[in-house]
Amino acid sequence: MAVKYIFVTGGVASSLGKGIIAASLAKLLQARGLRVTIQKFDPYINIDPGTLNPYEHGECYVTEDGAETDLDLGHYERFLGVHTSKANNVTTGKVYNTVITKEREGAYLGKTVQIVPHITDEIKRRMLLLGKTGDYDVIITEVGGTVGDMESQPFVEAIRQLQWELPEEDLMCIHLTLVPYLAAAKELKTKPTQHSVQALQQAGVHPDIIVCRTEKDLSPEIRRKMALFCNVKPGHVIQSIDAWSIYQVPFNMEAEHLDDMVCEQLDLHVPEPDLSGLRTFLDKLRNPHHSVDIALVGKYVELQDAYKSIQEAFVHAGVANDCRVKVHTVHSEYLDESNVAEKLSGMDGILVAPGFGERGLEGKVVAIRHARENGIPFFGICLGMQMAVVEVARDLLGWNDAASAEVNPVTPHPVIDLMEDQKSTTVKGGTMRLGAYDCKLEPGSLAAEIYGRELISERHRHRYEFNGKFLSDFESVGLKASGRNPQTGLVEIVEMPSHPFFIGVQFHPEYKSTPENPQPIFCAFVAAALKRKENA
Ligand code: GLN
């Protein structure tokens, strides 16, 4: 069977949830027995989002093979339960980088290098790349940005060209738009959709299906009207109504027959989807018997996408514990000794988030001390683990000058230090310790009990590490290294056996959590929080 390509574009506004629609469609096709992957094409010039502040585009997601990617790849992995890779996230920066490098090598000798055909050829090559691996039946490509933006034009042009290059039954386009409800007029408005489809058609791309984000049901008349004005088949305008959970969206799309239309158009003869696994998850998510309050202490709390994978991992771990996890984001910049008890009051667990740089760092230390001294379950991720080490050094070892070399390179107690191989690194992009590494767990430790095995693998994104020089000092005050990289000995996990639940991990366990495979540390942390609450 030829590989099928589905392109998902967006119009009217950003943040409509194109990634969720793409992932939901992928889930439905996967549930019909097809091998599906999703890729994201982002219009910005950065080579990857690794150098972006989370305020720009939310969390930076990390794949097994160490790509720093758009957070939508996290949704793809959570919905599909399959790994993505470097090839699944392409930016304009990557495309230009390849073309310009080839130009310098002399690959276009004599030719003027232009957007069409050279840039669009490179975009098309990357759009088709995963289809050539033989691993997939369907490739869904989400084009970032909004149709009509200057930046996304070359991507749209590449799709236009592919419409002629691929057999008709192997390619289709889905356009996601917004149908706003004007409360004053008590009316849903279709004009923005008409204009955005017009912009797409002017660029030569014809959408086959229009998915409308809406807060009110679209009547049959309004759907017919849009189909007429937007030049698509009647019935090919469907709604994506605001859902109570993102994991409900595949069911909503199934009810709108999105997958039926796609299979018909792409000539795919496959059974009806079996979504029973996700259904069971969703039923449990809707009616939990318990609840806990967890503080998520970080410095990007104003932005709901900044800690996306952590938030999602809590949804999964909650279901695993029959428990609603209410995550309260707490701004570490405004946390100090005088207000910590008040700001963290009522919390059954405290998670200290990953991050970079100095801002909000001391607030994290204060939150960790509060958790440690009051026996509140604590979970530190990456920078959160590093600050736990700093906190213990200052309070239990009495080293008031203890710090991470990231913020204090001259301290006599650099308990967190730059990794050896980072010392020669001068450029920022893509140079951290990235992606999956093995970690060997200490038998009998909390970590070993949580994972139920000795060798694990988790994903990383950091430059600094626990300074092994001070390990025996830490052990003497009860902070143990319970997980290490088997090759380098790098300390990956610290824990405090005298505390009900105190664990810090150098890696990012949140990236691998899915509804069907909730992450073990998140599950154990929620269980510990629940235990504390119920014993209170
Ligand atoms: N800034 C720290 C480091 O580079 C922690 C990184 C993180 O939390 N992802 O090691």
Side-chain angles (χ1 to χ4, degrees):
M1 185 184 92
V3 177
K4 308 289 183 180
Y5 294 91
I6 303 171
F7 293 91
V8 181
T9 54
V12 181
S14 58
S15 304
L16 291 181
K18 249 187 317 201
I20 302 293
I21 294 296
S24 297
L25 173 60
K27 180 78 189 168
L28 285 164
L29 297 176
Q30 185 193 51
R32 286 170 171 257
L34 294 163
R35 298 169 305 156
V36 191
T37 192
I38 320 177
Q39 53 186 357
K40 174 101 191 254
F41 278 57
D42 277 312
Y44 49 74
I45 317 275
N46 306 61
I47 297 278
D48 61 43
T51 52
L52 288 175
N53 184 316
Y55 288 126
E56 298 282 314
H57 288 278
E59 161 190 286
C60 173
Y61 188 73
V62 179
T63 58
E64 285 289 291
D65 64 352
E68 297 177 280
T69 75
D70 185 78
L71 61 80
D72 273 332
L73 272 78
H75 290 309
Y76 308 161
E77 291 206 5
R78 288 186 281 270
F79 275 63
L80 295 182
V82 291
H83 292 159
T84 55
S85 71
K86 288 193 168 133
N88 291 70
N89 195 187
V90 174
T91 66
T92 294
K94 272 191 185 143
V95 170
Y96 272 80
N97 203 29
T98 307
V99 171
I100 292 170
T101 306
K102 275 172 71 179
E103 188 277 330
R104 290 290 84 182
E105 286 165 4
Y108 307 108
L109 226 47
K111 289 269 175 249
T112 309
V113 181
Q114 294 177 298
I115 293 182
V116 181
H118 303 100
I119 293 295
T120 48
D121 278 352
E122 177 58 18
I123 295 173
K124 286 188 291 180
R125 186 185 72 80
R126 288 177 181 257
M127 283 175 166
L128 302 180
L129 202 59
L130 284 166
K132 303 216 185 309
T133 59
D135 294 337
Y136 305 106
D137 305 313
V138 181
I139 312 285
I140 300 180
T141 303
E142 179 193 344
V143 178
T146 307
V147 166
D149 292 350
M150 188 185 277
E151 283 106 339
S152 51
Q153 274 177 19
F155 293 144
V156 175
E157 167 60 14
I159 301 172
R160 185 196 69 77
Q161 294 176 21
L162 285 174
Q163 286 177 328
W164 294 105
E165 291 168 25
L166 294 176
E168 212 177 322
E169 69 281 8
D170 290 351
L171 174 145
M172 69 181 292
C173 300
I174 297 175
H175 188 58
L176 177 69
T177 74
L178 174 71
V179 178
Y181 179 74
L182 286 193
K186 295 200 177 55
E187 251 185 295
L188 286 161
K189 290 294 180 190
T190 64
K191 198 73 83 185
T193 296
Q194 294 178 37
H195 284 164
S196 116
V197 173
Q198 236 168 44
L200 194 57
Q201 285 175 337
Q202 267 163 11
V205 172
H206 186 82
D208 300 288
I209 298 173
I210 297 171
V211 181
C212 304
R213 271 305 300 275
T214 173
E215 47 182 296
K216 302 245 184 256
D217 280 311
L218 300 184
S219 65
E221 301 85 83
I222 212 168
R223 292 175 190 231
R224 267 197 298 275
K225 179 179 160 192
M226 276 196 279
L228 184 68
F229 281 106
C230 297
N231 194 25
V232 300
K233 273 191 198 164
H236 278 216
V237 174
I238 65 170
Q239 71 179 26
S240 170
I241 201 149
D242 292 351
W244 68 276
S245 158
I246 54 171
Y247 302 108
Q248 172 64 37
V249 179
F251 297 96
N252 292 356
M253 290 301 99
E254 185 188 20
E256 291 285 319
H257 303 289
L258 177 61
D259 54 325
D260 293 332
M261 288 185 253
V262 166
C263 290
E264 194 192 313
Q265 177 128 7
L266 295 177
D267 205 18
L268 288 163
H269 301 278
V270 282
E272 288 298 304
D274 172 11
L275 288 176
S276 50
L278 193 60
R279 166 60 63 205
T280 311
F281 171 84
L282 210 55
D283 289 344
K284 288 194 197 152
L285 179 63
R286 197 188 274 274
N287 298 310
H289 291 95
H290 309 278
S291 78
V292 288
D293 293 275
I294 302 281
L296 166 55
V297 180
K299 66 170 169 178
Y300 301 114
V301 295
E302 306 88 340
L303 189 82
Q304 68 170 19
D305 279 351
Y307 301 112
K308 196 77 203 167
S309 294
I310 292 177
Q311 300 270 11
E312 291 302 315
F314 274 127
V315 175
H316 313 149
V319 166
N321 282 286
D322 191 15
C323 176
R324 168 162 299 129
V325 182
K326 291 185 250 164
V327 180
H328 305 259
T329 49
V330 178
H331 207 312
S332 59
E333 216 181 337
Y334 308 123
L335 210 52
D336 58 40
E337 271 158 31
S338 71
N339 63 20
V340 64
E342 178 219 328
K343 291 208 174 187
L344 296 179
S345 78
M347 293 297 131
D348 306 307
I350 296 171
L351 183 142
V352 176
F356 295 84
E358 194 159 15
R359 187 168 68 90
L361 215 51
E362 291 306 318
K364 289 186 171 178
V365 174
V366 166
I368 294 164
R369 182 159 307 156
H370 179 76
R372 186 174 58 75
E373 291 183 339
N374 294 288
I376 304 168
F378 163 74
F379 183 9
I381 298 182
C382 207
L383 185 64
M385 170 266 197
Q386 297 177 353
M387 288 307 107
V389 172
V390 168
E391 194 281 321
V392 169
R394 290 190 193 161
D395 206 46
L396 297 184
L397 288 166
W399 301 339
N400 292 332
D401 52 10
S404 165
E406 182 175 358
V407 293
N408 182 355
V410 296
T411 171
H413 292 107
V415 290
I416 300 296
D417 204 4
L418 192 60
M419 281 183 282
E420 200 47 48
D421 52 6
Q422 288 287 332
K423 291 187 178 153
S424 53
T425 304
T426 50
V427 294
K428 289 270 181 279
T431 55
M432 280 186 254
R433 180 170 179 251
L434 291 165
Y437 286 91
D438 283 346
C439 170
K440 202 165 165 299
L441 306 179
E442 197 58 35
S445 63
L446 174 64
E449 184 193 317
I450 289 174
Y451 279 93
R453 62 200 142 94
E454 225 176 84
L455 194 67
I456 60 160
S457 166
E458 295 282 4
R459 300 182 195 170
H460 298 71
R461 182 172 187 247
H462 64 120
R463 288 186 207 284
Y464 294 83
E465 63 172 332
F466 180 95
N467 189 341
K469 194 166 92 180
F470 300 113
L471 181 59
S472 53
D473 298 293
F474 281 100
E475 298 211 315
S476 72
V477 293
L479 189 74
K480 308 273 182 219
S482 58
R484 285 161 166 264
N485 179 281
Q487 279 83 40
T488 62
L490 182 146
V491 172
E492 296 276 18
I493 310 179
V494 294
E495 58 184 71
M496 186 166 276
S498 60
H499 186 283
F501 190 99
F502 189 98
I503 192 164
V505 295
Q506 184 56 76
F507 46 79
H508 289 262
E510 69 274 22
Y511 292 142
K512 271 171 63 170
S513 188
T514 71
E516 275 145 275
N517 269 312
Q519 209 286 332
I521 310 181
F522 276 88
C523 292
F525 177 55
V526 170
L530 194 55
K531 191 168 157 199
R532 175 182 162 87
K533 181 180 177 181
E534 303 203 327
N535 290 344

